[in-house]
Amino acid sequence: MPDGWNLARIPHVRTGSATMKYGVLLIETGVPKDDSPEALRHYVDVVLGTGLYANKLGFVQSRLFRHVTIPAKRRDWRQYFYGDGTDVVSTYLRHAKSLRDKLAGRLAEATRRQGIVTVGMRCGSPSLDEAASALMQEGCSTIVLLPLYPLRFPPMTVPALDEARAAIERVGKGAWTPQVIEIDSFCRTPGFAQALATRIGRDWKPRNVSRLLILMPSEPRSLARDDGTYGEQVEWLRDRLCKSLKLGGDHVHVAFVGDHDNSEWLGPFAEKTLLGWSAGVRDVRAVCPAFCSADALGSHDAGSRLKAFFEANVAGKPPTYEFVPPLGDDAELADILCSAIVKRL
């Protein structure tokens, strides 16, 4: 277990004569495990859900996002993603540990069962196998799997849950077979939409000349036809943000992040949406709820890259553009996750 930070204990509580023990496995994307092009390529595949895209569409679009490149030299990718000097990786890991600790505290207050909260990452460390091993050593009979993606987005949530289940089976080797509970989304958990709206409006007073851009990852149209849950959740969230921020529907836009633009993928895309606001719009806020757990590259790259694109492509003085940071380890997010878990236990 790396650095011993993978577990957070929920205080021991006895109910009658039996002690009920459960584990919570927070599933995160993680970070590239090292500076090699191979590690970055694996990370990109995980973030983009390339395997699932290939299964559904029958091919892998190697240039799915044209801005994703695999540098030939070690460490070049760090400069590519972190050109402003922000230490996103350290912040990400700190937030993951802090969120885990806060969630353990909330669960201790909300349940009457002994439990453990752990974090497992699909890339880097602590890995899903390390997290599963820690839960097995603690003797957890029930495991709650919770990907830290608020919306049920199949290219990310489905592989995350599958990989976590596989890690449990791999580590248990048939001798440890806990009950597994999957939570594949929490965006509709009471408080989530309001917490996001509060963060957006913290230093912003939207006006008639304001726009809110909700940045989402795109998915193949074939997936959208098979399962409309993602689109429904996106529209539900948009409606709640409109009401909370008191903005009309024509002032809140959903746009997908990426440079691909063909009939296979959902649109509209963020770049084109921003260019359409070059006249008459004074200030823009962008938020990326799909990465609200302090994703190391996703939200940081989406926000900073679009700002640079906006400033470079708008004639004259562009509108003010600000990217709203993800919820990270906010206490509100810990409360929301606690509510979602308690409801399923």
Side-chain angles (χ1 to χ4, degrees):
M1 196 184 312
D3 300 328
W5 77 267
N6 198 25
L7 288 179
R9 298 178 184 278
I10 298 171
H12 179 87
V13 177
R14 290 189 179 277
T15 304
S17 59
T19 300
M20 304 297 293
K21 200 168 193 178
Y22 67 94
V24 175
L25 174 50
L26 301 177
I27 308 170
E28 254 295 10
T29 302
V31 295
K33 65 178 182 180
D34 55 45
D35 296 321
S36 67
E38 292 75 20
L40 178 59
R41 184 177 290 109
H42 174 64
Y43 177 87
V44 170
D45 285 346
V46 167
V47 170
L48 301 185
T50 311
L52 188 59
Y53 289 147
N55 292 338
K56 298 296 293 188
L57 297 178
F59 70 93
V60 176
Q61 186 172 346
S62 60
R63 294 182 65 79
L64 180 64
F65 282 71
R66 288 196 297 271
H67 74 272
V68 173
T69 58
I70 309 299
K73 297 180 180 179
R74 295 168 61 86
R75 293 188 176 274
D76 283 359
W77 68 271
R78 291 183 181 271
Q79 297 302 315
Y80 180 81
F81 281 108
Y82 311 140
D84 62 356
T86 303
D87 187 0
V88 183
V89 171
S90 295
T91 301
Y92 166 74
L93 295 174
R94 185 176 69 251
H95 281 186
K97 181 178 180 180
S98 176
L99 180 63
R100 177 214 62 183
D101 292 345
K102 289 177 181 176
L103 176 59
R106 301 300 192 277
L107 288 169
E109 298 172 0
T111 69
R112 297 293 299 171
R113 297 173 60 183
Q114 184 183 5
I116 297 291
V117 181
T118 186
V119 177
M121 298 182 180
R122 298 174 66 197
C123 295
S125 186
S127 68
L128 289 171
D129 278 24
E130 290 169 328
S133 178
L135 294 171
M136 181 181 69
Q137 292 172 16
E138 292 291 330
C140 297
S141 58
T142 300
I143 307 296
V144 178
L145 301 181
L146 177 56
L148 288 176
Y149 315 129
L151 286 76
R152 185 184 184 278
F153 178 53
M156 296 182 80
T157 52
V158 172
L161 290 168
D162 287 348
E163 290 172 22
R165 277 188 173 273
I168 290 172
E169 293 176 3
R170 224 170 12 249
V171 167
K173 298 179 180 178
W176 177 59
T177 56
Q179 176 191 8
V180 176
I181 300 171
E182 296 182 353
I183 299 177
D184 63 4
S185 69
F186 55 87
C187 75
R188 298 194 185 189
T189 301
F192 175 74
Q194 185 55 55
L196 195 60
T198 299
R199 170 158 286 231
I200 294 168
R202 187 168 295 170
D203 60 349
W204 187 45
K205 295 182 180 179
R207 306 164 292 161
N208 190 47
V209 292
S210 302
R211 296 291 187 275
L212 173 63
L213 183 64
I214 305 175
L215 302 175
M216 306 299 296
S218 187
E219 67 175 346
R221 292 184 186 277
S222 60
L223 283 181
R225 287 193 296 267
D226 292 345
D227 182 356
T229 304
Y230 180 56
E232 292 172 1
Q233 289 180 339
V234 170
E235 285 303 312
W236 179 89
L237 183 59
R238 175 180 175 274
D239 180 65
R240 292 301 185 278
L241 291 178
C242 285
K243 292 178 180 177
S244 296
L245 295 169
K246 296 181 172 58
L247 283 170
D250 57 338
H251 288 69
V252 180
H253 298 248
V254 175
F256 297 97
V257 179
D259 300 318
H260 55 274
D261 188 2
N262 58 65
S263 60
E264 296 288 357
W265 306 94
L266 292 178
F269 298 98
E271 295 87 348
K272 290 186 176 180
T273 304
L274 286 171
L275 289 180
W277 292 343
S278 58
V281 175
R282 301 287 181 81
D283 61 282
V284 176
R285 287 292 186 275
V287 64
C288 194
F291 303 101
C292 77
S293 56
D295 178 87
L297 304 186
S299 60
H300 178 79
D301 183 50
S304 60
R305 186 174 63 86
L306 284 174
K307 182 176 183 178
F309 172 88
F310 200 22
E311 293 175 346
N313 289 278
V314 174
K317 184 179 180 181
T320 300
Y321 172 100
E322 294 293 338
F323 179 70
V324 179
L327 291 174
D329 61 341
D330 281 7
E332 291 85 355
L333 182 56
D335 291 337
I336 292 160
L337 297 179
C338 178
S339 296
I341 292 167
V342 169
K343 185 177 180 180
R344 297 293 304 276
L345 281 175

